[in-house]
Amino acid sequence: MTKFTLKLLRLKDVLSLRGIGKSQHYEDIQDGLFTPPVKIGSRASAWPEHEVATINAARIAGKTEDQIRKIVIDLINARTARSCI
């Protein structure tokens, strides 16, 4: 089983790690190039740190947008596949 961190990152941290602005970040989500946020409260959202790292690593490795879309789909599917602790 793959080890991953359970740390959640808020938007400002995700934007900092990605090196882009908020508009581009949400456009990437709409285009399937980044995972949507996880609701952590009635007015708060965050992203699992391992998802951000995985997508950043794919970009660094030069993956195509279609390959990144596949990674995003796999990450989203893995959210529901993991059992709760």
Side-chain angles (χ1 to χ4, degrees):
M1 184 162 162
T2 304
K3 292 207 176 222
F4 62 94
T5 179
L6 295 176
K7 185 173 181 179
L8 296 172
L9 302 174
R10 297 301 302 271
L11 179 61
K12 70 178 186 82
D13 298 318
V14 174
L15 296 178
S16 176
L17 288 169
R18 295 193 67 206
I20 62 170
K22 186 163 66 169
S23 295
Q24 182 62 52
H25 176 69
Y26 282 107
E27 188 175 312
D28 286 351
I29 292 170
Q30 287 290 88
D31 292 341
L33 297 171
F34 207 83
T35 56
V38 174
K39 291 297 285 179
I40 58 173
S42 62
R43 294 174 31 149
S45 298
W47 285 262
E49 183 179 46
H50 73 278
E51 292 181 5
V52 177
T54 299
I55 296 167
N56 281 348
R59 289 233 176 246
I60 292 167
K63 301 287 184 188
T64 66
E65 287 191 349
D66 286 339
Q67 290 171 318
I68 292 173
R69 284 185 184 95
K70 171 72 168 90
I71 291 167
V72 168
I73 290 168
D74 291 344
L75 289 169
I76 292 168
N77 289 338
R79 287 180 181 181
T80 57
R82 288 187 173 77
S83 60
C84 294
I85 297 173

